[in-house]
Amino acid sequence: MPKLTIDGREIEVEAGTTIIQAADQLGIEIPRFCYHERLAIAGNCRMCLVEVEKMPKPVASCAQPVGEGMVVKTNTAGVRKARQGVMEFLLLNHPLDCPICDQGGECDLQDQAVAYGSDKGRCQEGKRAVPDKDYGPLVQTMMTRCIQCTRCVRFIAEIAGTPVLGGLGRGEHLEITRYVGAAVSSELSGNLIDLCPVGALTNKPASYTYRSWELKKTESIDAMDALGSSIRLDTRGNEVIRVLPRVNEDVNEEWLSDRSRFAVDGLKRQRLDRPYVRKDGKLVAVTWNEAFAVIAAKVKAAGTKIAVIAGDQADAEAMIAYKDLLASLGSQAIDCRQDGAKLDGSVRASYLFNSTVAGIEQADALLMIGTNPRKESPVLNARIRKRWQKGGFKAARIGHKGDLTFKYEHLGDDASVLKALVDGKHPFFETLKNAAKPALIIGQGALSRPDGAVLLGLARKLADATGMVKDGWNGFNVLHTAAARVGGLDLGFVPGQGWRDVDHIADAAHKGDIAVVFLLGADEVEMKSLGEAFVVYQGSHGDAGAHRADVILPGAAYTEKSATYVNLEGRAQQTRLAVFPPGEAKEDWRIVRALSDVLGKPLPYDSLKAVRERLAKASPVFAAIGQVTTAAWGASFGAEGSAGDGALVTNIDNFYQTDPISRASKTMAECTAAFGGGCNHKHKKTGTNG
Amino acid sequence: MSDMNHEPASFAFTAETLEKAKAFIAKYPAGRQQSAVMPLLDLAQRQEGWVSRAAMEVIAEMLDMAPIRVEEVATFYTMYNRKPVGTFHVQVCTNLPCMLRGSDDVVAAAKEALGVDFGDMTADGKFTLSEVECLGACVNAPMMQINDDYYEDLDAASTKAVLEAFKRGETPKPGPQNGRQFSCPKGGATSLTELTFEGGKA
């Protein structure tokens, strides 16, 4: 542990720490462009120059490891002069078009030019201009502004694992560009925008629509996938302009997937902004009271023949309200697993990502079953890649063979391989058994198959046989794709006595045993299977559910309400209201509360606080906001029996369009056109397919 | 940067070069085979006369690296040609020491003798003129490289003479063109004149 002095303050840091990291620990600010704590050190911008005693020249503090007894000075006249020189060189070819640049106001170069720039340039020569590059529909390029810090090059190669960017040429002719013919189609490409310290890479869908200082910032949680990334919603008026990731080391570090970031334009399109009732086959706009009256009449006639299916973005508050409402009406036909996933919710560990997201970095052997983490949760996939990069990590996959950005052994694509593993007949069994912290990830693609329960049972057996669950480690992981799912299972939004699953409910609707079906943002249910049932769709978007509906109740999207979601590792988190729901749309649990009044079965809570108290009573998970509530391994789960044939594949075909919001998004449609459905898409070859 | 019109659809090392390539790769420890990228690019260039995109992709595949990483190397060094060059590739250094010693004259003479500008090939396909970065022969500045040989201590007249000789099909003697022996002082040794290599006095 070398000890050094920076600006007269002594600090002891771990060997191998660089001067800039030591200074960061002390809170001493050193300007930088190319250095980024999550990327490899490049040392090419030279902005972080400092003086070190006994060293003849200023040194780049980002690339200089600390030494015992080092005396560093960061604010001498010499340092300032050196940095001013660097800044002058950086500005030689920079267009200084800040007034029309989207980065203006949040630009590292702008900020640091205030401190180290000159008020006039000495260069008489013309500035160089660089042709813009085509990075696809998400990232806008203005390469003349580029200062060649190579953060984007390093991110796309190291973190995203799709090395398509590079610096071609040399000296003044150096240009950052993509490889000819390769698409910048990483599912994490939006992070390039955040990393770019200047305005060379900016948000294309939002370009020229905002100035950063006029946006209101609301810290919230993402509900576009089950990871529950920490996000910041930047809004102006009643419009979400952009979504940025927030640092959360336990969940998303500081990355965000492209769908979570760029699907926001879907929040403005296809919105349900008032109640509708179908009259003579056509949906007619009505008042809330009218819509409720129609529902009340039907519900009264239906008696207990009522069902609720919750969609993938339903929040816990709305689900508990519906659960309580149906209980008071005498029905237990509720389900939050519209894809038919065979997770019954009785054993909590059976549906959680038990190792936790950050914990996956400790695993040393990993088996993936019927999942494509790159499509289902790109940020989680980047974690696995990070683990793989450290070495001593063996991964294997049962499912499709495709590029996951890290090396793995492809064991086969059907359940017979899993059976062989459980029986110890497959060589990878020994790898898992001998690993200190073995783990498996089973995906919804496997669990939503008819034999999903058998596969779940096999996975459990494999976990037991290979010692995946032991003191301080549980490597049994279920990878969810729906933000609502874990919360729904935690509060028991599963069919009660006499009911099996969504198919069972739909079948009953078809036969007339269910007369009224409430769809809480459930658009992925096969609408035809609901037969003649009276369908009430409550949700935010005019998607499949609204087209089938007899009554539409306009709800709020995740940006428009304070709602609770539990992420895949069992971490309860709350979104915050950033904008108001459009028109007459309301927060979802309030709609249910109002409806319960009309039905004559008023719910016993009428404030958000009271609903959340009810939630906490349903499960203590909801009382521990922000915390992972771990689960005991507990009783056996899954089913016995023989697994069926067929490949174990992911349930996501098109990464860019998985839910009503992203299906309404123009940007996501453009991505689908440009990149196909993301990696390993079955229809279209992309630059990153494997 | 490359002109896409030249790019061939495919590239393959000949059996002979492939052997050499494998020998280069074998020099580096397993997992560090990317270190062989520069010799392999050179082999590809010696085979085809230039480095095509197809060649870079073949090399990337052989070394298990991203094609963009190979292209970065190929575009960084002026020694790799990213488009076809003439039979004689005339590379004139214009870096500081050469410039101070009169490379401007060399450049002007070369342009005049060949009738082309930097980056261009003569109509008969015999010469390509390039401006390159330092080739490490500053002690004999100004200089130019023609294929694998250095022609040093140039001035306008000797530049022209060298190029005219190439035009006639001759191969002028490489090295200093002003009578110096290697980088000895012009006009012969001025010190240690009495010593011989054998140790005795001359």
Side-chain angles (χ1 to χ4, degrees):
Chain A
M1 296 275 282
K3 231 185 232 173
L4 74 160
T5 316
I6 307 179
D7 292 346
R9 292 164 65 186
E10 220 172 63
I11 184 173
E12 197 174 340
V13 292
E14 261 176 62
T17 310
T18 62
I19 295 176
I20 205 169
Q21 288 166 339
D24 280 350
Q25 285 177 29
L26 279 173
I28 295 171
E29 202 179 311
I30 295 178
R32 83 256 340 238
F33 294 111
C34 73
Y35 174 77
H36 190 279
E37 57 272 22
R38 289 182 214 274
L39 302 175
I41 290 164
N44 55 12
C45 78
R46 317 308 290 178
M47 196 62 201
C48 64
L49 293 175
V50 294
E51 273 179 9
V52 179
E53 259 178 30
K54 293 185 192 140
M55 287 203 185
K57 293 190 286 184
V59 297
S61 59
C62 69
Q64 182 69 46
V66 298
E68 180 62 45
M70 228 177 210
V71 180
V72 180
K73 287 174 189 147
T74 74
N75 57 1
T76 62
V79 167
R80 264 196 304 283
K81 187 148 184 291
R83 289 179 190 163
Q84 278 164 357
V86 171
M87 179 58 77
E88 190 170 5
F89 272 117
L90 287 175
L91 294 180
L92 269 188
N93 281 314
H94 192 78
L96 296 174
D97 55 350
C98 310
I100 58 148
C101 176
D102 275 346
Q103 191 84 357
E106 51 182 9
C107 173
D108 290 354
L109 187 62
Q110 207 179 22
D111 293 348
Q112 289 170 37
V114 170
Y116 298 101
S118 166
D119 56 347
K120 48 187 168 292
R122 289 185 290 171
C123 184
Q124 303 292 317
E125 286 76 17
K127 297 195 177 212
R128 79 167 189 160
V130 183
D132 287 339
K133 310 294 186 289
D134 180 11
Y135 281 9
L138 301 177
V139 183
Q140 174 80 48
T141 64
M142 283 279 183
M143 299 315 279
T144 302
R145 294 176 186 150
C146 175
I147 57 168
Q148 290 89 37
C149 70
T150 71
R151 274 188 189 180
C152 55
V153 175
R154 283 173 282 147
F155 173 83
I156 211 89
E158 294 164 15
I159 310 276
T162 52
V164 294
L165 298 182
L168 301 188
R170 110 189 233 169
E172 208 201 354
H173 304 290
L174 175 62
E175 286 183 24
I176 303 295
T177 185
R178 75 190 162 103
Y179 191 70
V180 168
V184 188
S185 64
S186 160
E187 301 74 22
L188 296 166
S189 63
N191 297 297
L192 295 173
I193 299 164
D194 295 341
L195 284 171
C196 184
V198 297
L201 306 179
T202 51
N203 186 330
K204 197 173 206 172
S207 62
Y208 299 128
T209 58
Y210 66 91
R211 306 262 51 188
S212 63
W213 56 86
E214 47 177 43
L215 301 177
K216 194 186 88 185
K217 285 114 182 146
T218 310
E219 298 195 338
S220 188
I221 297 297
D222 176 47
M224 300 298 286
D225 61 29
L227 188 68
S229 302
S230 294
I231 54 170
R232 193 184 88 193
L233 296 162
D234 282 11
T235 57
R236 185 182 52 205
N238 209 35
E239 189 184 359
V240 181
I241 302 287
R242 60 176 183 178
V243 178
L244 298 176
R246 276 189 293 135
V247 175
N248 186 340
E249 296 297 342
D250 293 331
V251 181
N252 56 316
E253 297 179 275
E254 60 177 274
W255 316 125
L256 193 58
S257 88
D258 283 354
R259 187 173 69 235
S260 301
R261 185 190 297 260
F262 291 111
V264 280
D265 63 328
L267 292 168
K268 291 176 281 190
R269 298 160 58 85
Q270 299 272 11
R271 286 309 298 268
L272 302 171
D273 55 0
R274 53 190 307 179
Y276 287 89
V277 169
R278 196 176 290 277
K279 290 176 181 165
D280 305 326
K282 278 182 94 174
L283 287 168
V284 181
V286 294
T287 62
W288 277 104
N289 286 340
E290 220 177 320
F292 282 158
V294 173
I295 297 171
K298 288 284 177 185
V299 167
K300 201 165 185 193
T304 59
K305 296 199 275 183
I306 307 170
V308 183
I309 300 168
D312 291 349
Q313 291 174 327
D315 56 279
E317 285 84 353
M319 281 192 278
I320 195 77
Y322 261 121
K323 187 183 176 185
D324 288 348
L325 177 64
L326 251 71
S328 66
L329 292 169
S331 170
Q332 298 194 42
I334 54 174
D335 206 340
C336 66
R337 305 158 304 179
Q338 51 171 340
D339 58 2
K342 307 290 181 292
L343 295 165
D344 62 10
S346 55
V347 180
R348 191 158 185 264
S350 74
Y351 59 84
L352 285 190
F353 201 91
N354 290 297
S355 73
T356 73
V357 173
I360 200 75
E361 283 185 38
Q362 294 168 23
D364 47 5
L366 175 69
L367 174 69
M368 291 165 282
I369 305 162
T371 179
N372 180 343
R374 191 171 165 195
K375 265 184 170 181
E376 295 168 22
S377 184
V379 178
L380 175 67
N381 194 63
R383 280 261 192 185
I384 304 175
R385 177 179 158 76
K386 184 178 170 193
R387 172 66 193 88
W388 169 74
Q389 277 176 315
K390 281 185 200 150
F393 176 72
K394 285 207 175 80
R397 184 178 182 198
I398 304 173
H400 269 178
K401 198 176 174 177
D403 185 8
L404 289 181
T405 74
F406 55 89
K407 282 213 173 82
Y408 64 88
E409 194 184 332
H410 185 243
L411 304 183
D413 67 358
D414 61 24
S416 64
V417 188
L418 182 58
K419 187 81 182 61
L421 269 167
V422 173
D423 296 341
K425 286 179 192 150
H426 196 285
F428 198 73
F429 178 84
E430 289 302 316
T431 310
L432 286 171
K433 202 163 179 190
N434 296 334
K437 290 188 169 178
L440 70 82
I441 296 178
I442 185 163
Q444 300 303 306
L447 295 171
S448 57
R449 283 171 35 139
D451 59 353
V454 176
L455 296 173
L456 184 69
L458 286 172
R460 155 105 200 193
K461 276 187 198 142
L462 183 64
D464 283 334
T466 54
M468 281 186 195
V469 185
K470 48 188 145 195
D471 250 3
W473 178 251
N474 186 342
F476 181 87
N477 295 321
V478 174
L479 179 48
H480 286 277
T481 50
R485 190 64 53 84
V486 174
L489 292 168
D490 276 347
L491 60 82
F493 205 86
V494 288
Q497 201 143 39
W499 296 101
R500 208 174 57 234
D501 55 14
V502 164
D503 283 348
H504 191 195
I505 292 171
D507 199 41
H510 210 83
K511 286 190 196 136
D513 294 339
I514 287 285
V516 178
V517 179
F518 287 89
L519 298 178
L520 176 59
D523 290 282
E524 282 83 20
V525 182
E526 184 53 61
M527 295 301 160
K528 280 198 189 104
S529 68
L530 297 178
E532 296 299 305
F534 186 81
V535 175
V536 179
Y537 181 80
Q538 176 179 338
S540 55
H541 282 70
D543 205 72
H547 286 292
R548 169 64 183 79
D550 296 293
V551 175
I552 290 174
L553 303 176
Y558 71 102
T559 50
E560 297 152 4
K561 58 190 170 190
S562 177
T564 308
Y565 291 91
V566 185
N567 85 346
L568 48 79
E569 54 185 340
R571 184 190 302 273
Q573 304 184 106
Q574 282 166 356
T575 62
R576 289 214 186 95
L577 181 143
V579 292
F580 292 102
E584 295 175 36
K586 299 268 184 291
E587 268 180 89
D588 291 273
W589 77 268
R590 285 182 198 279
I591 297 173
V592 189
R593 174 67 183 81
L595 180 64
S596 70
D597 261 346
V598 180
L599 297 178
K601 308 267 184 194
L603 291 170
Y605 30 79
D606 40 33
S607 70
L608 189 58
K609 189 164 166 274
V611 187
R612 290 192 169 153
E613 277 162 12
R614 167 72 186 95
L615 271 175
K617 223 177 281 165
S619 166
V621 173
F622 296 100
I625 296 300
Q627 309 293 317
V628 170
T629 309
T630 52
W633 190 224
S636 181
F637 50 79
E640 294 287 334
S642 57
D645 296 331
L648 293 162
V649 295
T650 176
N651 60 335
I652 293 185
D653 181 37
N654 181 354
F655 162 75
Y656 295 104
Q657 293 180 314
T658 58
D659 50 80
I661 298 175
S662 54
R663 278 194 292 267
S665 159
K666 225 168 142 182
T667 313
M668 291 293 102
E670 278 168 22
C671 284
T672 308
F675 303 140
C679 62
N680 317 325
H681 189 256
K682 68 183 177 198
H683 302 305
K684 200 169 165 185
K685 192 177 153 91
T686 69
T688 56
N689 73 336
Chain B
M1 267 355 68
S2 71
D3 183 344
M4 286 298 284
N5 298 330
H6 299 291
E7 296 290 346
S10 66
F11 169 88
F13 279 117
T14 61
E16 195 188 339
T17 16
L18 195 60
E19 280 308 306
K20 285 186 192 165
K22 282 184 180 156
F24 274 120
I25 296 171
K27 282 186 182 176
Y28 302 100
R32 295 277 184 271
Q33 69 275 30
Q34 298 184 358
S35 304
V37 65
M38 290 180 62
L40 259 59
L41 281 168
D42 185 56
L43 285 176
Q45 175 157 305
R46 283 180 191 281
Q47 183 181 315
E48 304 284 304
W50 65 295
V51 182
S52 63
R53 191 172 296 287
M56 292 191 290
E57 276 168 17
V58 167
I59 292 169
E61 180 75 17
M62 282 171 79
L63 302 179
D64 191 23
M65 59 200 286
I68 187 84
R69 296 280 96 81
V70 180
E71 196 179 2
E72 282 179 331
V73 175
T75 55
F76 182 83
Y77 295 100
T78 53
M79 296 81 174
Y80 297 117
N81 308 320
R82 281 293 289 113
K83 59 182 185 182
V85 293
T87 321
F88 301 108
H89 188 200
V90 182
Q91 303 156 64
V92 186
C93 173
T94 56
N95 274 187
L96 188 66
C98 281
M99 200 205 83
L100 292 174
R101 297 279 298 144
S103 70
D104 287 358
D105 296 342
V106 176
V107 170
K111 282 183 179 171
E112 197 198 322
L114 300 176
V116 293
D117 221 326
F118 277 141
D120 292 342
M121 204 193 313
T122 53
D124 59 4
K126 264 180 108 173
F127 293 93
T128 295
L129 183 62
S130 298
E131 179 181 29
V132 298
E133 310 292 334
C134 182
L135 292 169
C138 313
V139 73
N140 292 85
M143 60 79 67
M144 65 181 173
Q145 183 183 354
I146 299 179
N147 291 353
D148 283 337
D149 292 323
Y150 280 15
Y151 292 87
E152 301 158 321
D153 292 316
L154 298 166
D155 54 20
S158 56
T159 305
K160 216 165 174 184
V162 168
L163 292 174
E164 291 301 334
F166 272 109
K167 276 193 193 169
R168 290 193 299 273
E170 299 162 13
T171 309
K173 190 172 176 284
Q177 299 297 310
N178 64 350
R180 274 168 87 188
Q181 185 193 10
F182 305 122
S183 51
C184 289
K186 199 176 169 187
T190 54
S191 61
L192 302 176
T193 49
E194 295 176 353
L195 292 172
T196 67
F197 283 108
E198 285 73 38
K201 294 223 170 189

